[in-house]
Amino acid sequence: MSPLSLSSRDLPGGVLITVTGELDATNAHELESYAESHRRPGPGMVLDLGGMTFLDSRGLHVLLRLHAAVGEQGGLLRVAAVRGRPARILQVTGVWSVLTIHPDAQQAAVAMCGHGADGVRKPS
């Protein structure tokens, strides 16, 4: 089991949150709390999931709640670098098509700063 690690960095118009490790029922509340405490009004939030190795249904629900919460403030949650098993979970559940997915955090940050959706990746 890989513990959850969270870090953040302010970006023009939003925040980048890097998620590393496993996101599951034992720690999903940590991501939700952390994201809520670092969220600010503006174009949105980028979640860099490149280091996330596991995602269960509880983590999936947190992603959907964050998507809704950021949207309620007029922003957009951008998910970056999701791959492997977490990507497969998002695809199988249909959540992939709900979220704005970018190949990496840099492209997501550029799109957020430009308020566009350039670089959105579709499942392969």
Side-chain angles (χ1 to χ4, degrees):
M1 181 173 225
S2 175
L4 184 68
S5 174
L6 303 168
S7 63
S8 69
R9 181 170 58 114
D10 285 338
L11 298 172
V15 63
L16 166 67
I17 296 177
T18 303
V19 181
T20 306
E22 298 182 358
L23 182 59
D24 59 29
T26 66
N27 59 24
H29 65 281
E30 291 176 37
L31 172 58
E32 191 163 20
S33 255
Y34 188 87
E36 286 298 324
S37 70
H38 288 81
R39 187 165 51 104
R40 55 191 179 133
M45 174 184 292
V46 174
L47 288 181
D48 180 356
L49 304 184
M52 189 171 70
T53 56
F54 181 79
L55 173 70
D56 74 359
S57 63
R58 197 72 152 279
L60 190 65
H61 285 272
V62 167
L63 294 179
L64 289 170
R65 284 194 300 271
L66 288 174
H67 171 73
V70 172
E72 286 173 6
Q73 283 192 331
L76 180 64
L77 175 68
R78 298 172 189 278
V79 178
V82 61
R83 45 181 82 66
R85 180 164 282 164
R88 183 71 179 132
I89 297 295
L90 292 177
Q91 292 166 5
V92 168
T93 59
V95 174
W96 186 280
S97 63
V98 172
L99 299 175
T100 302
I101 310 284
H102 293 267
D104 59 46
Q106 182 178 2
Q107 288 184 37
V110 167
M112 182 176 66
C113 292
H115 309 280
D118 299 335
V120 175
R121 181 169 56 107
K122 297 295 179 201
S124 47

